[in-house]
Amino acid sequence: MKMLSYKFRVFVVVICACVFSQGAVAAETLSIVKKRGHMQCGVSQGLPGFSNPDDKGNWVGMDVDICRAVAAAVFGDDTKVKFTPLSAKERFTALQSGEVDMLARNTTWSMHRDTALGVDFTGVNYYDGQGFMVRKELGITNSLELDGASLCTNLGTTTELNAADYFRTNNMEYEIVAFEKADEAVAAYNTGRCDAYTTDQSALYAQRLKLTEPGAHIVLPQIISKEPLGPVVRQGDNQWGDIVRWSHFAMVNAEELGVTSKNVDTMKTNKNPAIRRLLGVDGTFGTNMGISNDWAYNIIRTVGNYAETFERNVGKSTPLGIARGVNALWTQGGLQYAPPVR
Amino acid sequence: MIDKSIIQRWRARVGQRDVLAQIAVAVALFLAVYWLIDNVVSNLERQNVASGFGFFNERAGFGINQTLINYSEDSSYGRVLMVGLLNTLLVSVIGIALASLLGFFIGIGRLSQNWLINRLALVYIEIFRNVPLLLQIMFWYFGVLRNLPSPRNSFTAGDVVFFNNRGLILPAIEAGPGAIWYGLALLAGIAAVFWFKRRAKQARFVAGEILPVWRPVALVLVVALMMAFLLAGVPFSLEIPVLRGFNFRGGISVIPEFVALVLALSLYTASFIAEIVRAGIQSVDKGQREAAAALGLSNTQALNLVLVPQALRVIIPPLTSQYLNLTKNSSLAVAIAYPDIVSVFAGTTLTQVGQAVEIILVTMLIYLSLSLLTSFIMNWYNARVALAGGSHG
Ligand SMILES: N[C@@H](CCC(=O)N[C@@H](CS)C(=O)NCC(=O)O)C(=O)O
């Protein structure tokens, strides 16, 4: 019944938004958010490392940090954000209808989503790819050995499509068992309903923690797709899109320039012009976007730079234990690259 | 004086005025709906959300693990809708049949003189009626799944039927050309049912005689089947499932999601139907039962011939709404990955295509049509029962 009523709610919101709003897409999100006093951010229903409530009920994770960064940029206060947990299926509808101001929900940037759903991706805060998790006892080491397997996954994801493509191109049979909620998908895999659980590889490491015996499962090394995960905004509000885009870039630039939450105050007096522009000492970069000039300073002070959010949420010292890999800075052989603040 | 004539004229015009008022309301409603639709379309366009129903012909690209019609990743979203709808119909029809059967027996059990049966029926009703359906679905799904073995260690009946955590795997029956004779034999059996029933009814009305029905039917069926055997031998072959790799290949598999959903829906709805049946039978006047007894009818005969036909008139209207509920509740399937219409169409297709308005509208229209169709059939049946009751009483 819960699901029905949610669907109904989203539906009503969509209908109402579509029916009564007279083109509310123009540059309005910023003023609406400011007037409301907080930003509403769509996140997952619980994915450790990306968006997950901690034992005190506070949302934490890399995606949550992007939301906090945007709040810090807009309000100078990273706590002025509320989170709406959304299933994979609900997320775009919730964004389109204005129920949330942005999504940071381990969402893959794909061309169809970018061009046909009325939404825009602002960047990539985590480069990922789809993988498989299986029981160790199966003795499998390669995903090409999965012929005939049952796969548990989430409904309404790129995962469903990639799995179909992968098995068909490799002439393998498969059965897909697609759940609306990730917790049920994991539980079904846990009871043995499926031979493999498939989703973004980072999420495999995260979901493995929820299994009764995490040590009895391995994540296969093969990656079968590109899953660039990033924040999403409604199409048509370029000012808001800029703010979300540059909130992420600010964190990446800060890492590159060696600015951290610890040294950000002393860095304000640094001579390096790139640092001075980033922290709003020189230039009018913040006001150009309609927010204050110390926007990036506030992000770094409260949320930290990209390396800090990575290590705190998914890095080697966390239960997920993920290495920087392709998510290292471009200067260190990775893909994380931000255009300059200039 | 003047007042009176005004009132009289006003009265005379009421008919006209009513028509005018109705036309005005209809026009206003039409304009409002037109304005709503126009606004939805233009707002979606402004937001650059694709609109229209062109996506129905696009390639779906995803797999579905229970399809009653041919379906592959290359099929269209329109086909996905059909697959989902059929899956919804399948659980609904089987759920309704099981719930009715079970509910009927439990309802009668509630009226039993036997203390144990009576109490058991009561306990059943109170438990299944009061636990939220979603929890029951989860219980049957995860509770049962957890206790089933892996394919390699399947429970099996004679190495032809297997039961494991991938579902119930049955041998498929493949029919050769001679199977038509067996089909004809079955038809003969069905025809015999009608014929002997009619004969028995006539004999009862005309001579008050009770003629046997099922014994001659069985005889006809056996003879017909034997003739089919002589003509065609055994034109059937079994495709026995074999374990290969992760799972069984060949045969027909019934997925655990289906089993759990049918189980939960029918057990839950049966508890409501039981109460409806009990109330229906209790609504029949006590004198009817006594009269039946006085005529020398046995308990079963009294129930079948006197009480149930009269109770049906009370039972059917609320029963209809239980059937509607079951059909609508089947949309909870999405929680346990049963590929019903809400899961594959209002779920996967919706996220893949992104056109929430169109897809939810189509889904709502389909549920509405299913409900109207069910009501229509039940109302028709109700009218028939009511009429039959009327002509006798
Ligand atoms: N990146 C993929 C998959 C995203 C996805 O929904 N993953 C699931 C499986 S890990 C998830 O986030 N579940 C958490 C939840 O349901 O909230 C996409 O954008 O379609």
Side-chain angles (χ1 to χ4, degrees), chain A residues 280-307:
Chain A
V281 183
D282 296 340
T284 55
F285 296 98
T287 46
N288 292 349
M289 293 192 291
I291 53 181
S292 79
N293 266 335
D294 53 3
W295 62 285
Y297 164 79
N298 286 328
I299 293 176
I300 299 158
R301 178 175 57 83
T302 53
V303 184
N305 68 27
Y306 184 77

Side-chain angles (χ1 to χ4, degrees), chain A residues 69-88:
Chain A
V70 173
V74 172
F75 296 106
D77 180 351
D78 68 305
T79 62
K80 294 214 159 134
V81 52
K82 290 193 179 155
F83 298 95
T84 306
L86 298 167
S87 77

Side-chain angles (χ1 to χ4, degrees), chain A residues 44-45 88 91 105-108 113 154 157-158 182 200 203 207:
Chain A
S44 81
Q45 293 165 317
R91 56 187 155 175
R105 196 209 167 283
N106 50 304
T107 296
T108 303
R113 288 174 175 177
N154 273 75
T157 54
T158 46
D200 304 337
Q207 304 289 25

Side-chain angles (χ1 to χ4, degrees), chain A residues 114-170:
Chain A
D114 202 358
T115 56
L117 299 193
V119 301
D120 269 334
F121 287 78
T122 64
V124 179
N125 69 330
Y126 190 97
Y127 287 94
D128 210 336
Q130 184 174 334
F132 297 91
M133 173 162 64
V134 295
R135 282 177 189 70
K136 272 188 186 150
E137 67 187 23
L138 289 180
I140 287 180
T141 52
N142 191 314
S143 50
L144 286 171
E145 295 167 52
L146 285 172
D147 189 10
S150 297
L151 313 170
C152 281
T153 192
N154 273 75
L155 196 129
T157 54
T158 46
T159 319
E160 267 185 291
L161 298 175
N162 295 329
D165 286 354
Y166 179 74
F167 278 78
R168 278 163 58 94
T169 28
N170 289 299

Side-chain angles (χ1 to χ4, degrees), chain A residues 256-270:
Chain A
E256 196 179 329
L257 295 168
V259 184
T260 68
S261 57
K262 309 249 156 36
N263 67 15
V264 67
D265 281 307
T266 53
M267 280 292 191
K268 262 194 151 171
T269 55
N270 196 296

